[in-house]
Amino acid sequence: MSGRPGTAGPAAAAAGEPAVASALAGDQTDDLDGDLDSDVVSPVAAVALRRQIPSTLAGLRADLALGSLFPEFSRSRIQSWMRAGLVSVDGRSLTLREKVWPGGWVTLPEPPDVDGMAVLPQAVPLKVIFEDQTLLVLHKPAGLVVHPGNGNPGGTIQNGLLYRDPALAKVPRAGIVHRLDKDTSGLMVVARTLEAHADLVRQLQARTVRRHYHALVHGGLSGPGTVDAPVGRHPSQRTRMAVVASGRPAITHYTPVAVHGPFTLVECRLETGRTHQIRVHMQHIGHPLVGDPVYAAGAPTQRQWPDAARRFARQALHAFRLGLIHPASGAELVWQIDLEADLAHLLEDLDAG
């Protein structure tokens, strides 16, 4: 196989992908390696929501009942508030497994930010390829961090989202429901309302969000395959992830697309979204990603790689297709973008010999 992929036709270009609606984008507009694994919330309540328990929820376990009473929040987020003692019924703290009864008034906090830290609006350029009242879809460049954390207090997508739309301060993580590594490029979806946020979190948990990546890996692959191996923290190197028995379930499907010298461009489809999942899984089966500073470092054959591959400054990973069900309309949407320019140039250099 040879050649490199570009933007396919409307979503029908992918066999089996729904094509009710699509948005294709290359570079004409103005500016997920892993889901957010938990809804970590702030212990500080900014706005309290108060609703009465209806008879239809009588006798239900509290966390299940509140998931119905407050559908704009994910159940995991409600559970985390309850564990922190922030949810009350008639002034008394409500525990996860106790039953609820009609007539009681439940008070639910809404924290200012799910990470418990002040995230300030900043004029960070964002490449938006789709926007309506419910969703934003972004094309994230390599090098841009998704949200603040250790070593990255600002200049992130979350800062940029709050600058672009101050109303996103009312949505967890400014609407971010999944993330890409700093040096992974590609498509991300952002929820603009609490209801959309909760719906997209449920879709991610139900594995109905379709995320496809292009990755350039070392070596040849004989055909399509699946890596079904749990991913968790490396037992001795805590800054790395690894395939470990105690890890969380992780499934990656891969299909070879094109051969470029000693490397293969593969399409990877995620069922789960663990941290560094594609990078870990491909390294686990002996095909590390070109440019990966963590999982390809020290590969026995790396010294023999062509100069263009050894000089590539990031992991060769690009989220090129994203599909989901629109939280408001129920329509099946698919977006697809071209291969990132630096990765396309790398393939051209490898083909040129």
Side-chain angles (χ1 to χ4, degrees):
M1 293 178 288
S2 62
R4 68 176 177 86
T7 302
E17 292 285 3
V20 174
S22 68
L24 305 180
D27 299 319
Q28 70 271 32
T29 51
D30 43 296
D31 211 331
L32 174 179
D33 181 358
D35 303 337
L36 299 172
D37 289 332
S38 62
D39 264 334
V40 181
V41 300
S42 165
V44 181
V47 179
L49 302 180
R50 192 165 180 261
R51 292 176 189 167
Q52 192 170 32
I53 301 168
S55 59
T56 53
L57 301 180
L60 276 183
R61 200 175 74 185
D63 60 334
L64 297 175
L66 268 59
S68 296
L69 192 60
F70 298 92
E72 64 268 40
F73 298 108
S74 67
R75 190 167 136 211
S76 61
R77 193 173 188 217
I78 291 173
Q79 288 173 332
S80 63
W81 278 332
M82 295 178 79
R83 292 189 189 99
L86 300 176
V87 179
S88 64
V89 57
D90 297 329
R92 174 183 60 81
S93 290
L94 188 61
T95 61
L96 282 170
R97 297 186 178 277
E98 71 174 276
K99 294 181 179 180
V100 299
W101 303 103
W105 285 90
V106 175
T107 302
L108 194 70
E110 182 185 344
D113 183 80
V114 296
D115 292 320
M117 60 185 293
V119 181
L120 301 177
Q122 293 177 327
V124 178
L126 300 176
K127 188 172 184 178
V128 177
I129 71 164
F130 175 83
E131 178 178 11
D132 65 10
Q133 296 301 309
T134 302
L135 300 176
L136 287 172
V137 176
L138 306 178
H139 177 172
K140 186 189 94 66
L144 182 59
V145 176
V146 171
H147 56 76
N150 291 336
N152 296 288
T156 72
I157 286 178
Q158 185 173 353
N159 299 104
L161 287 168
L162 292 171
Y163 181 88
R164 188 179 190 277
D165 182 2
L168 287 174
K170 298 179 180 179
V171 185
R173 284 195 180 92
I176 295 168
V177 293
H178 68 121
R179 58 179 173 236
L180 298 175
D181 291 342
K182 175 183 177 181
D183 288 325
T184 297
S185 57
L187 294 171
M188 286 181 52
V189 64
V190 175
R192 300 190 72 181
T193 67
L194 287 169
E195 292 81 6
H197 184 275
D199 186 84
L200 289 173
V201 168
R202 293 186 190 106
Q203 289 190 51
L204 286 162
Q205 292 170 342
R207 303 182 182 181
T208 58
V209 176
R210 298 172 301 284
R211 290 163 293 165
H212 296 247
Y213 294 71
H214 279 133
L216 186 65
V217 304
H218 179 253
L221 295 95
S222 59
T226 296
V227 183
D228 184 350
V231 171
R233 288 287 171 192
H234 192 285
S236 60
Q237 301 175 49
R238 303 303 292 171
T239 58
R240 295 170 56 117
M241 308 300 287
V243 171
V244 290
S246 60
R248 300 182 68 186
I251 300 173
T252 304
H253 305 285
Y254 63 86
T255 302
V257 174
V259 173
H260 299 273
F263 306 102
T264 303
L265 186 70
V266 297
E267 178 178 332
C268 296
R269 179 171 64 85
L270 292 179
E271 279 198 30
T272 54
R274 307 306 173 212
T275 301
H276 299 176
Q277 179 174 318
I278 291 173
R279 299 163 62 189
V280 170
H281 271 174
M282 298 312 292
Q283 187 270 344
H284 179 67
I285 62 173
H287 299 284
L289 271 64
V290 170
D292 193 324
V294 177
Y295 303 103
T301 59
Q302 197 172 34
R303 291 181 182 178
Q304 285 74 50
W305 288 8
D307 287 345
R310 286 191 287 108
R311 290 196 305 264
F312 198 66
R314 67 175 181 101
Q315 63 260 13
L317 187 61
H318 177 63
F320 76 97
R321 184 183 298 135
L322 173 68
L324 52 85
I325 299 170
H326 193 282
S329 71
E332 295 185 18
L333 303 178
V334 178
W335 296 270
Q336 183 165 311
I337 56 176
D338 285 327
L339 202 62
E340 204 75 352
D342 62 345
L343 187 49
H345 292 153
L346 172 61
L347 300 186
E348 292 171 354
D349 289 343
L350 293 172
D351 289 343

